[in-house]
Amino acid sequence: MKQSHLFTKTRREAPKDEVAKNAQLLIRAGFINKEMAGVYSYLPLGLRVLNKIVNIIREEMNAIGGQEVHLTALQDKKNWEATNRWDDKVVDNWFKTELKNGTELGLGFTHEEPLTALMKDHVRSFRDLPTSVYQFQTKFRNEARAKSGIMRGREFLMKDLYSFNRDEKAHADFYEKAKQAYLKIFDRVGLGAETFVTFASGGSFSKYSHEFQTLTEAGEDTIFVDEKKKIAINKEVLNDEVLKDLGVNKADLIEKKAVEVGNIFSLGTRFSEPLNLVYSNEEGKSVPVVMGSYGIGPGRVMGTIVEVHADDKGLVWPEAVAPFGVHLIAIFDKVGKVQVEADNLYKKLSDKGIEVLYDDRDTTAGEKFGDSDLIGIPTRYVISEKTLANNSIEIKDRLTGKVEMVKIDTL
Ligand code: ATP
Ligand code: MG
């Protein structure tokens, strides 16, 4: 993409009311737009990053057998009444609305209820299980605080997968596969080193749930990390009994701030019983399906990547999620040789399938370099009269700052 064509502009200052580093930088670099507190739009550069994260998640969900669907945001109250989650006293972050005729509707904050209800038409016998279904969808939550930028939106994208199994044993097998898939995802998006499987409250159907917590001062959670064992315990559940249960010594734990980038949960028959999702087993007996839910917020992951990797110059994207692989910068005073060579190189790289953002704008070198640091593409190619005098371009690594000169014909 030619930068002269990109409609977004960088800016020196973020809006005064934006306090989160991730949103400040993403707004300044033109990746997102703040509509209001906790509500952000994704612009071309931001959407490219979000889509890369989404695709990595999609690949890993497909690899464990997940089948993709797209459920509705508008929710039928009757499914939620059946599980006692319609009442605002039970669920405090609903957005609700109504039809012209007065019928109440909800805007989905999660999708256990509608999917469980839907599966009734498809799961009948033990032969229909196991199965798992996922989607990427906008969720709506009337969050009390929205001070963490895109890490806590009131409207945000979630990947939510739901698993359906015959019994606890089959569920446990799938749950473990999903846990490994999640670790792969956080590795692939560049958060592997900072992300810990964290024991958290399991609700009424299992002892624990597992959160995937990424260490960052910007996180809203407090966890206790055992670095040797590479696990952590959420402060909410830390007590002597849990320590003993997990075989962890209090002395090995370090208190850290972290953000929950993912969460996997055993649901037992919490939803299948009230919504009557049953199957007939090998003896022909009707039994409730055992379920699990597995969530990741791609926007929260993107915000977390910013918090973890950005430096004082701007964004720093890991290769796998960067909006482009190469930022090609042409430095020229007037139309001439440099521009011709740069156009050439842009075409060649693009033909090779390399994603290039080409700064062909008629502006100063200072502005181009400043914008390039802010946008944070992993590799920068600079072509100028000086580099061309050696038939070379300069290659700079955004993360390390390392610079090398490379002959154009060996590139
Ligand atoms: P938190 O405890 O941080 O409020 P949660 O436990 O309510 O999150 P889940 O319901 O488990 O979150 O949602 C699954 C995933 O969706 C989370 O792990 C997170 O990545 C993402 N997520 C949750 N709430 C938000 C939000 N308000 N904005 C962006 N992403 C979110
Ligand atoms: Mg949570």
Side-chain angles (χ1 to χ4, degrees), residues 292-342:
S293 73
Y294 312 79
I296 295 185
R300 183 176 288 186
V301 169
M302 178 169 157
T304 304
I305 293 169
V306 174
E307 295 286 346
V308 168
H309 294 294
D311 64 16
D312 54 356
K313 295 198 200 70
L315 301 164
V316 179
W317 297 109
E319 193 97 31
V321 301
F324 292 90
V326 169
H327 202 173
L328 174 62
I329 297 179
I331 306 294
F332 54 84
D333 289 332
K334 53 183 187 309
V335 179
K337 184 156 174 257
V338 172
Q339 210 185 19
V340 172
E341 285 292 331

Side-chain angles (χ1 to χ4, degrees), residues 367-387:
E367 191 170 337
K368 289 186 177 187
F369 291 142
D371 282 354
S372 178
D373 283 338
L374 180 61
I375 290 169
I377 291 168
T379 306
R380 179 195 293 174
Y381 288 1
V382 179
I383 185 163
S384 66
E385 246 162 60
K386 208 173 87 195
T387 70

